[in-house]
Amino acid sequence: RKNAAKVIILSNGALAIRDSIQRHFNDHQDVQIITATTTHGAYTEQSSDTKSIISGYCVVHAGEGLTYCTNNKFIDACQKVGWKGGALSEFEMNMMLWKKLSANCVINPLTAIHGVKNGQLLSLDNTDRTITYILEELSSIAILEMESFIQAEEDVEVQAHLQRSIREELSVDFLKSFVTKVMTDTSDNISSMLQDVNAKRTTE
């Protein structure tokens, strides 16, 4: 679909947004849906800087992360501005999006409840059990969804290899390590849900 309009989804909730757009366009040949994900941390704050006088705020880059996409041209553009990351297959992207969702499901609500930055969750008492409960539920759903995704693979050995990857990388222990790394890498970031709470907006 060389001339198809390209819709790149780079936001929280990419899996649900992708499914919603696909239902809306009903596999329309002129629309290509591309998924992407990033672990960069950023938030906005009020600013009196003359450069920000029109908008009234500035963007604070609060964590160096990685950006991935299923579209090579988008990744080339990201790398030209210094963003680290790479191109992924559809399988790899779906796996990455489930991992990113695990981080959002843990970090967003807990930072909003406790009123802390991402990295401060690492030193809070009595959060480990809550994190485990969240990841147990997400892991069970993610594994079912990804095992359904690979059913179209005709090569039995390839399918078995993908299934092993799914059960390993979407396990509770693996997801907990991933979430902990995101907390560390974006330790100074104010999560989007906490920003909403502080601004008295409806949360995600």
Side-chain angles (χ1 to χ4, degrees), residues 51-52 58 62 94 97 140 145 163 173 175 183 203:
K51 293 181 180 179
S52 306
C58 66
N94 282 346
L97 288 175
S140 63
E145 288 288 334
Q163 187 174 56
D173 288 342
L175 292 178
M183 289 179 188
T203 58

Side-chain angles (χ1 to χ4, degrees), residues 5 16 60 65 73 76 81 93 103-105 107 114 122 136 146 155 160 162 172 174 185 190 192 196 202:
V60 179
K73 289 184 178 179
D76 289 342
V81 297
M93 176 55 67
N104 289 338
C105 285
I107 294 172
H114 296 287
L122 296 167
E136 283 176 345
M146 286 304 302
D155 189 310
L162 294 176
V172 173
F174 192 101
D185 291 346
I190 300 173
S192 54
D196 288 338
T202 301

Side-chain angles (χ1 to χ4, degrees), residues 66-171:
L66 300 171
T67 300
Y68 297 98
C69 185
T70 55
N71 182 274
N72 286 304
K73 289 184 178 179
F74 179 77
I75 289 300
D76 289 342
C78 290
Q79 291 175 345
K80 285 179 180 177
V81 297
W83 290 10
K84 298 177 182 178
L88 300 179
S89 68
E90 289 290 343
F91 173 81
E92 292 169 328
M93 176 55 67
N94 282 346
M95 291 286 284
M96 178 59 71
L97 288 175
W98 278 110
K99 293 172 190 175
K100 181 71 186 300
L101 181 60
S102 72
N104 289 338
C105 285
V106 170
I107 294 172
N108 270 331
L110 292 184
T111 53
I113 289 168
H114 296 287
V116 297
K117 293 183 176 181
N118 293 2
Q120 292 175 293
L121 289 176
L122 296 167
S123 58
L124 288 183
D125 295 328
N126 304 318
T127 58
D128 189 67
R129 181 177 295 182
T130 302
I131 291 172
T132 299
Y133 287 156
I134 292 170
L135 294 179
E136 283 176 345
E137 181 173 354
L138 187 136
S139 173
S140 63
I141 296 170
I143 289 173
L144 284 173
E145 288 288 334
M146 286 304 302
E147 287 185 340
S148 175
F149 178 82
I150 64 171
Q151 289 306 305
E153 175 55 58
E154 296 180 355
D155 189 310
V156 176
E157 291 187 4
V158 171
Q159 188 180 99
H161 172 73
L162 294 176
Q163 187 174 56
R164 286 193 296 271
S165 296
I166 290 167
R167 295 187 177 184
E168 177 185 347
E169 295 182 32
L170 297 180
S171 67

